[in-house]
Amino acid sequence: MERCEKKSNMKEIIRDLLPEWVKKPLRSIRLKQIQIAEYQTIHVQPKRHRKALEKIRTKAHKKEKIKVAFFAIHSSVWKYDGVYQLMDKDPRFDPIVVVCPVVNYGKENMLVEMEKTFKFFKRKGYNVIKTYNEKDDTYLDVKKEITPDIVFFTNPYRRLNKDKYYITNFKETLTCYTQYAFYIGNMKIVDQINLLFNNVLWKAFYETELHAKMAKQYSRNKGRNVVVTGYSGIDDLKYGGRSGKDIWKNPDVNLKRIIWAPHHTIEGGGQLNCSNFFLYHQLMIDLTEKYRKKVQIAFKPHPLLKVKLYNHRNWGKDRTDNYYLKWENCPNGQLETDNYIDLFNTSDAIIFDSGSFIAEYLFCGKPSLFTFLNNKVMERFNKFGKMALEYHYHAYNEADIINFLENVVFNGVDTKRDNRGKFYRENLVPPNGVSASENIYNDICKEIWS
């Protein structure tokens, strides 16, 4: 181990000493090597999947249970409730949720997130296990100790997780994925739909036909693994009115229930700097006081916002914790950091700048306000995102937010209501007359038992 560390340090020293005119061609060579290796992996992966599927079919023929592992990182972006429950009720499957470490913001954050996510699934009564053992500082070997036949991933990015829980360590396993957020972004396609991850999946369960077309156009595998199922993350969202489990702190049903959902990209510049948190963090607190007899506001931050604020030069841990505590203790405000289905279903409106909610809140049919940081924000969205954004109200300043509350929410002057409903019916309803989760479950069952 010590020899490996010395060797690694020596490489870093040599690399630092090299002039830029030498580094540049070396980087190009390395990039070309990666591209060739990825191309070979993408080319051979279907053969591996066919072999894995034959093994599973043999197990199924012998009446053995099919083991399915759902890799979870953040409880707030869990999208497989319906799929898990369908498999849990089916005696042919043996599903388990595997809580994986999120490693890109340090060990302390990793432990907090893992415990929070683990408890989330325990409360649901799910079969769940953590991959990290604090007592002996070890990580679970999923391939040996669980031996899953099928793995569902909840995030496509290598940098968030340990390599042993990344798709490249499960080449001989059937792997599945549905987007952790409704894909509306216009980032470089290689950063999303054309990731190695998306190209080597067994099944990529996508939201709409338009997303399938994007995969066929931009993916290196030409979208051959894509199945259009609808978006399983919002199967339980109900269109129109309040419904479901009431999680609002103030029991007064006459108060309008507003969600404020800021994104985490508070710094970074360009298209990535899209969060309005710094602009409106005090305004939103003030509005709970100004309209205390009319509203209850739920602060629903992106799960990464807190750790970003911890590391921010003007905020830090104490200021951030105090701010979150204000929402938790506010008489007509509350803090929501877990799954948001019940929150959406029992709300009356949302104010937000989080991209995925552009599509997801449209499943509720309720008025919504997207806050723009600047005119460049529109460049963040793909064709579908721009279409969906038309059915939200837009805000560029505090006056626009107040106008939305007073006219649309309080007085009910919702001029976008009818067109919003039309867009939902024509573009968002899952195919085949069933939920997205049922489409995913049915597709897998068909592959194994048909």
Side-chain angles (χ1 to χ4, degrees), residues 57-80:
R57 285 172 175 169
T58 301
K59 282 186 68 173
H61 182 72
K62 294 177 180 178
K63 307 297 183 184
E64 295 178 25
K65 289 197 171 193
I66 309 305
K67 294 183 180 179
V68 184
F70 294 84
F71 284 13
I73 299 178
H74 296 290
S75 59
S76 57
V77 293
W78 169 250
K79 306 300 181 186
Y80 295 118

CSV table of all heavy atoms in Angstrom, one decimal, residues 57-80:
chain,number,residue,atom,x,y,z
A,57,ARG,N,-33.1,-16.3,-16.8
A,57,ARG,CA,-34.2,-17.1,-17.3
A,57,ARG,C,-34.1,-18.6,-16.8
A,57,ARG,O,-35.1,-19.2,-16.5
A,57,ARG,CB,-34.2,-17.1,-18.8
A,57,ARG,CG,-34.7,-15.8,-19.4
A,57,ARG,CD,-34.5,-15.7,-20.9
A,57,ARG,NE,-35.1,-14.5,-21.4
A,57,ARG,CZ,-34.9,-14.0,-22.7
A,57,ARG,NH1,-34.1,-14.7,-23.5
A,57,ARG,NH2,-35.5,-12.9,-23.1
A,58,THR,N,-32.8,-19.0,-16.7
A,58,THR,CA,-32.6,-20.4,-16.1
A,58,THR,C,-33.0,-20.4,-14.7
A,58,THR,O,-33.7,-21.4,-14.2
A,58,THR,CB,-31.1,-20.8,-16.3
A,58,THR,OG1,-30.8,-20.8,-17.6
A,58,THR,CG2,-30.9,-22.2,-15.7
A,59,LYS,N,-32.7,-19.4,-13.9
A,59,LYS,CA,-33.1,-19.3,-12.5
A,59,LYS,C,-34.6,-19.3,-12.4
A,59,LYS,O,-35.2,-20.0,-11.6
A,59,LYS,CB,-32.6,-18.1,-11.8
A,59,LYS,CG,-31.1,-18.1,-11.4
A,59,LYS,CD,-30.7,-16.9,-10.7
A,59,LYS,CE,-31.3,-16.8,-9.3
A,59,LYS,NZ,-30.8,-15.7,-8.5
A,60,ALA,N,-35.2,-18.5,-13.2
A,60,ALA,CA,-36.7,-18.4,-13.2
A,60,ALA,C,-37.4,-19.7,-13.6
A,60,ALA,O,-38.4,-20.1,-13.0
A,60,ALA,CB,-37.1,-17.3,-14.2
A,61,HIS,N,-36.8,-20.4,-14.5
A,61,HIS,CA,-37.3,-21.7,-14.9
A,61,HIS,C,-37.3,-22.7,-13.7
A,61,HIS,O,-38.1,-23.6,-13.6
A,61,HIS,CB,-36.5,-22.3,-16.1
A,61,HIS,CG,-37.1,-23.6,-16.6
A,61,HIS,ND1,-38.3,-23.7,-17.3
A,61,HIS,CD2,-36.5,-24.9,-16.5
A,61,HIS,CE1,-38.5,-25.0,-17.6
A,61,HIS,NE2,-37.4,-25.7,-17.1
A,62,LYS,N,-36.3,-22.6,-12.9
A,62,LYS,CA,-36.1,-23.4,-11.7
A,62,LYS,C,-36.9,-22.9,-10.5
A,62,LYS,O,-36.8,-23.4,-9.4
A,62,LYS,CB,-34.6,-23.5,-11.3
A,62,LYS,CG,-33.7,-24.2,-12.3
A,62,LYS,CD,-32.3,-24.1,-11.9
A,62,LYS,CE,-31.3,-24.8,-12.9
A,62,LYS,NZ,-29.9,-24.7,-12.5
A,63,LYS,N,-37.7,-21.9,-10.7
A,63,LYS,CA,-38.5,-21.3,-9.7
A,63,LYS,C,-37.7,-20.6,-8.6
A,63,LYS,O,-38.1,-20.4,-7.4
A,63,LYS,CB,-39.4,-22.3,-9.0
A,63,LYS,CG,-40.3,-23.1,-10.0
A,63,LYS,CD,-41.3,-22.2,-10.7
A,63,LYS,CE,-42.2,-23.0,-11.6
A,63,LYS,NZ,-43.1,-22.2,-12.4
A,64,GLU,N,-36.4,-20.2,-8.9
A,64,GLU,CA,-35.6,-19.5,-8.0
A,64,GLU,C,-35.9,-18.0,-8.0
A,64,GLU,O,-36.3,-17.5,-9.1
A,64,GLU,CB,-34.1,-19.7,-8.3
A,64,GLU,CG,-33.6,-21.1,-8.1
A,64,GLU,CD,-32.2,-21.2,-8.5
A,64,GLU,OE1,-31.4,-20.2,-8.4
A,64,GLU,OE2,-31.7,-22.3,-8.9
A,65,LYS,N,-35.8,-17.3,-6.9
A,65,LYS,CA,-36.1,-15.9,-6.9
A,65,LYS,C,-35.1,-15.0,-7.6
A,65,LYS,O,-33.9,-15.3,-7.6
A,65,LYS,CB,-36.2,-15.4,-5.4
A,65,LYS,CG,-37.5,-15.9,-4.7
A,65,LYS,CD,-37.7,-15.1,-3.5
A,65,LYS,CE,-39.1,-15.5,-2.9
A,65,LYS,NZ,-39.5,-14.5,-1.8
A,66,ILE,N,-35.5,-14.0,-8.3
A,66,ILE,CA,-34.7,-13.0,-9.0
A,66,ILE,C,-34.3,-11.9,-8.0
A,66,ILE,O,-35.2,-11.2,-7.5
A,66,ILE,CB,-35.3,-12.5,-10.2
A,66,ILE,CG1,-35.9,-13.6,-11.1
A,66,ILE,CG2,-34.4,-11.6,-11.0
A,66,ILE,CD1,-34.9,-14.6,-11.5
A,67,LYS,N,-33.0,-11.8,-7.7
A,67,LYS,CA,-32.6,-10.8,-6.7
A,67,LYS,C,-32.4,-9.4,-7.4
A,67,LYS,O,-31.7,-9.3,-8.4
A,67,LYS,CB,-31.2,-11.2,-6.1
A,67,LYS,CG,-31.3,-12.4,-5.2
A,67,LYS,CD,-30.0,-12.7,-4.6
A,67,LYS,CE,-30.1,-14.0,-3.7
A,67,LYS,NZ,-28.7,-14.3,-3.1
A,68,VAL,N,-33.0,-8.4,-6.9
A,68,VAL,CA,-33.0,-7.1,-7.5
A,68,VAL,C,-32.5,-6.1,-6.4
A,68,VAL,O,-33.1,-5.9,-5.4
A,68,VAL,CB,-34.4,-6.6,-8.0
A,68,VAL,CG1,-34.3,-5.3,-8.7
A,68,VAL,CG2,-35.0,-7.7,-8.9
A,69,ALA,N,-31.4,-5.4,-6.7
A,69,ALA,CA,-30.8,-4.4,-5.8
A,69,ALA,C,-31.1,-3.0,-6.3
A,69,ALA,O,-30.8,-2.7,-7.5
A,69,ALA,CB,-29.3,-4.6,-5.6
A,70,PHE,N,-31.6,-2.2,-5.5
A,70,PHE,CA,-31.8,-0.8,-5.8
A,70,PHE,C,-30.8,0.1,-5.1
A,70,PHE,O,-30.8,0.1,-3.9
A,70,PHE,CB,-33.2,-0.3,-5.4
A,70,PHE,CG,-34.4,-1.0,-6.1
A,70,PHE,CD1,-34.8,-2.2,-5.8
A,70,PHE,CD2,-35.0,-0.3,-7.2
A,70,PHE,CE1,-35.9,-2.8,-6.4
A,70,PHE,CE2,-36.0,-0.9,-7.9
A,70,PHE,CZ,-36.5,-2.2,-7.5
A,71,PHE,N,-29.9,0.6,-5.9
A,71,PHE,CA,-28.8,1.4,-5.2
A,71,PHE,C,-29.3,2.9,-5.0
A,71,PHE,O,-29.6,3.6,-5.9
A,71,PHE,CB,-27.6,1.5,-6.2
A,71,PHE,CG,-26.7,0.2,-6.2
A,71,PHE,CD1,-27.2,-0.9,-5.6
A,71,PHE,CD2,-25.5,0.2,-6.8
A,71,PHE,CE1,-26.5,-2.1,-5.7
A,71,PHE,CE2,-24.7,-0.9,-6.8
A,71,PHE,CZ,-25.2,-2.1,-6.2
A,72,ALA,N,-29.4,3.2,-3.7
A,72,ALA,CA,-29.9,4.6,-3.3
A,72,ALA,C,-28.8,5.4,-2.7
A,72,ALA,O,-28.0,4.9,-1.9
A,72,ALA,CB,-31.0,4.4,-2.3
A,73,ILE,N,-28.8,6.7,-3.0
A,73,ILE,CA,-27.8,7.6,-2.5
A,73,ILE,C,-28.5,8.6,-1.6
A,73,ILE,O,-28.3,8.7,-0.4
A,73,ILE,CB,-27.0,8.3,-3.6
A,73,ILE,CG1,-26.2,7.3,-4.4
A,73,ILE,CG2,-26.0,9.3,-3.0
A,73,ILE,CD1,-25.4,7.9,-5.6
A,74,HIS,N,-29.4,9.4,-2.2
A,74,HIS,CA,-30.2,10.4,-1.5
A,74,HIS,C,-31.6,10.0,-1.4
A,74,HIS,O,-32.2,9.7,-2.4
A,74,HIS,CB,-30.1,11.8,-2.2
A,74,HIS,CG,-28.7,12.4,-2.2
A,74,HIS,ND1,-28.1,12.9,-1.1
A,74,HIS,CD2,-27.9,12.6,-3.3
A,74,HIS,CE1,-26.9,13.4,-1.4
A,74,HIS,NE2,-26.8,13.2,-2.7
A,75,SER,N,-32.2,10.1,-0.2
A,75,SER,CA,-33.6,9.7,-0.1
A,75,SER,C,-34.5,10.7,-0.9
A,75,SER,O,-35.6,10.3,-1.4
A,75,SER,CB,-34.1,9.7,1.4
A,75,SER,OG,-33.8,11.0,2.0
A,76,SER,N,-34.1,11.9,-1.0
A,76,SER,CA,-34.9,12.9,-1.7
A,76,SER,C,-35.0,12.7,-3.2
A,76,SER,O,-35.9,13.3,-3.8
A,76,SER,CB,-34.3,14.3,-1.4
A,76,SER,OG,-33.0,14.4,-1.8
A,77,VAL,N,-34.2,11.9,-3.8
A,77,VAL,CA,-34.3,11.7,-5.2
A,77,VAL,C,-34.6,10.2,-5.5
A,77,VAL,O,-34.3,9.7,-6.6
A,77,VAL,CB,-33.0,12.1,-6.0
A,77,VAL,CG1,-32.8,13.6,-5.9
A,77,VAL,CG2,-31.8,11.4,-5.4
A,78,TRP,N,-35.2,9.5,-4.6
A,78,TRP,CA,-35.6,8.1,-4.8
A,78,TRP,C,-36.8,8.1,-5.8
A,78,TRP,O,-37.8,8.8,-5.6
A,78,TRP,CB,-36.0,7.6,-3.5
A,78,TRP,CG,-36.7,6.2,-3.5
A,78,TRP,CD1,-38.0,6.0,-3.2
A,78,TRP,CD2,-36.1,5.0,-3.8
A,78,TRP,NE1,-38.3,4.6,-3.3
A,78,TRP,CE2,-37.1,4.0,-3.7
A,78,TRP,CE3,-34.9,4.5,-4.2
A,78,TRP,CZ2,-36.9,2.6,-4.0
A,78,TRP,CZ3,-34.6,3.2,-4.5
A,78,TRP,CH2,-35.7,2.3,-4.4
A,79,LYS,N,-36.7,7.3,-6.8
A,79,LYS,CA,-37.8,7.3,-7.9
A,79,LYS,C,-38.4,5.9,-8.1
A,79,LYS,O,-39.1,5.7,-9.1
A,79,LYS,CB,-37.2,7.8,-9.2
A,79,LYS,CG,-36.5,9.1,-9.1
A,79,LYS,CD,-37.4,10.3,-8.7
A,79,LYS,CE,-36.7,11.6,-8.7
A,79,LYS,NZ,-37.5,12.7,-8.1
A,80,TYR,N,-38.1,5.0,-7.3
A,80,TYR,CA,-38.5,3.6,-7.6
A,80,TYR,C,-39.5,3.0,-6.6
A,80,TYR,O,-39.6,1.8,-6.5
A,80,TYR,CB,-37.2,2.7,-7.6
A,80,TYR,CG,-36.2,3.0,-8.7
A,80,TYR,CD1,-34.9,3.4,-8.4
A,80,TYR,CD2,-36.6,2.9,-10.0
A,80,TYR,CE1,-34.0,3.7,-9.4
A,80,TYR,CE2,-35.7,3.2,-11.0
A,80,TYR,CZ,-34.4,3.6,-10.7
A,80,TYR,OH,-33.5,3.9,-11.7
